[in-house]
Amino acid sequence: MSVREISTERVIRSAIAVVRASREFSDARRDVPATAEAADRLAATIEYRLADLSRVEVSGFVPPGAGVTAGPERPAEVLGLVAAQLRIGEVALAAAAMTGETAPVRVDGFDEAVDGLSVIVGTLDSGRAGGVQGFAPQRRHSADQATAVAAFAQACDETLGVIAERTADALGRPLQGLSGLAPEAVRRAWEQVDERLRLDQVGNRLVQVGLRAVAAALGALHRLVRGDWVGEVQQRLTELAGRVGALGVSAAAVGGLLGVAKVKTETGAIIGLPGLEVPRLDAASDALTALAAGFTGTMEMVALAQTAITGLGAVTMIGLTVPHLGAVLLGAELTLGALVVALALDYMDTLPALGWVRGVRTIIRRVAQTP
């Protein structure tokens, strides 16, 4: 069994268990004694499943030469784990409000949290995480060079468009958080990325397991953000926020950030070379199509994590117990934004030394290589 299968299976299994316990808690909430018992079962389920999820990342580390890619180098899978843990935290915190552990919130807030966790289960179970599982495009067999060149040019253009558009979609909320901030405020906002939840003496059992889930999610997210590139990415994201302001980010603006025009120029130069081989062109076209699907799937995981952060922010009663939670969630949103930029640059191959995927520039340059 691969690292991907181990990790995804365990996340799905744990999330389903929490959803089931949550449904039982919801059914029992009109009976005070039954609610208390169901709340205990929900808290116990979450505690056990958090322990189970903590082994996902351990399973992701494999010895050299094992023939699989280590889990931490698969951002889509880690982001799926992050989204699930955030939603589990939201479920626990919303349930705490319904049992009187905290100030009350809307009852439907709990149902929304459970529904959100169910969506994550469905997304992971469908095999769309990362846009790779279950994706098997038909291999091209162009009749001649002209057909192969046209298909290659189209695949390149479409892939660049997908990366720019999906990146713009994912950056909306992080850029909104940075927009209009003075330089000192921006600096403080980035510092909040490294804030940690203090879990000692905070609330009762459901509150504690909820915050533990959030802390685990943030820990997994931070392990994706490596220090050797984060400073440059933060700078690019801050500069983009300053340029777009309150108008919102567009695919064109993101394209400038990612260097789309340069890659298109490079593609045009390659297409103009004599003697391009049809099999190489077709293989590149297939690889570009798969790359676009992979990026779309990864951004879907980002969207699930962002929605989970929004859901946690809506559980306003936690602000009474953990005053710094808002700053931590802002830091998480900005961390996701930085990760989105890094992923886009990696898929474009315009930021050295990331190496999560074989990106656009690597693919198109192989077309021009001699055997």
Side-chain angles (χ1 to χ4, degrees):
M1 181 177 289
S2 70
V3 171
R4 175 194 294 275
E5 291 167 340
I6 292 171
S7 299
T8 302
E9 178 184 332
R10 185 167 285 152
V11 173
I12 291 172
R13 184 172 65 239
S14 295
I16 288 175
V18 174
V19 168
R20 288 174 177 168
S22 300
R23 300 300 186 201
E24 293 175 3
F25 171 79
S26 183
D27 292 342
R29 63 191 181 198
R30 292 180 179 83
D31 183 336
V32 174
T35 299
E37 292 177 4
D40 284 341
R41 288 195 298 272
L42 176 59
T45 298
I46 292 175
E47 286 176 336
Y48 176 80
R49 292 302 170 178
L50 285 178
D52 192 41
L53 287 175
S54 72
R55 291 190 288 273
V56 169
E57 292 175 88
V58 174
S59 72
F61 289 92
V62 294
V68 291
T69 301
E73 290 303 313
R74 293 186 180 273
E77 284 70 32
V78 178
L79 287 166
L81 170 65
V82 168
Q85 289 174 319
L86 288 172
R87 279 296 191 185
I88 289 171
E90 183 189 354
V91 166
L93 296 175
M98 296 170 63
T99 59
E101 287 195 20
T102 67
V105 295
R106 303 180 343 267
V107 172
D108 59 356
F110 174 78
D111 295 331
E112 290 170 0
V114 177
D115 290 344
L117 185 57
S118 297
V119 168
I120 291 171
V121 170
T123 302
L124 293 174
D125 198 34
S126 69
R128 289 180 289 138
V132 176
Q133 301 176 94
F135 181 79
Q138 292 184 344
R139 295 185 63 181
R140 289 176 173 84
H141 296 284
S142 298
D144 51 48
Q145 187 191 62
T147 302
V149 167
F152 170 70
Q154 181 179 353
C156 185
D157 189 61
E158 290 176 351
T159 299
L160 293 174
V162 165
I163 294 173
E165 290 165 10
R166 299 297 184 186
T167 301
D169 291 342
L171 289 181
R173 278 183 278 197
L175 290 176
Q176 186 178 11
L178 289 171
S179 179
L181 294 180
E184 178 61 22
V186 170
R187 185 188 63 80
R188 288 198 303 269
W190 281 119
E191 289 176 352
Q192 290 167 352
V193 170
D194 294 321
E195 283 288 334
R196 293 290 187 271
L197 286 171
R198 296 185 291 274
L199 304 178
D200 55 320
Q201 300 179 344
V202 176
N204 294 323
R205 189 179 184 186
L206 277 169
V207 174
Q208 290 176 352
V209 298
L211 293 177
R212 201 177 306 152
V214 174
L218 297 179
L221 180 60
H222 275 267
R223 280 186 284 279
L224 274 179
V225 182
R226 300 203 300 263
D228 56 348
W229 54 260
V230 68
E232 178 181 347
V233 170
Q234 286 178 350
Q235 182 179 352
R236 293 196 191 195
L237 189 60
T238 302
E239 290 173 353
L240 181 61
R243 288 199 301 271
V244 302
L247 299 177
V249 65
S250 65
V254 168
L257 175 74
L258 301 179
V260 167
K262 292 181 180 179
V263 176
K264 286 186 175 182
T265 299
E266 189 172 351
T267 304
I270 290 172
I271 289 173
L273 293 174
L276 295 176
E277 299 177 1
V278 171
R280 283 181 178 271
L281 288 164
D282 285 345
S285 297
D286 291 340
L288 289 168
T289 300
L291 192 71
F295 191 75
T296 297
T298 301
M299 290 302 103
E300 185 176 0
M301 291 294 100
V302 169
L304 289 175
Q306 289 176 327
T307 303
I309 290 172
T310 300
L312 279 164
V315 185
T316 55
M317 85 296 183
I318 298 303
L320 302 175
T321 307
V322 189
H324 60 291
L325 180 61
V328 171
L329 293 179
L330 174 60
E333 192 77 80
L334 294 179
T335 300
L336 274 173
L339 182 59
V340 166
V341 173
L343 283 164
L345 291 169
D346 191 50
Y347 272 73
M348 293 284 295
D349 271 345
T350 51
L351 181 65
L354 283 177
W356 280 317
V357 296
R358 184 163 60 97
V360 174
R361 294 176 73 198
T362 297
I363 292 170
I364 65 174
R365 286 175 177 178
R366 288 192 176 185
V367 170
Q369 289 177 354
T370 57

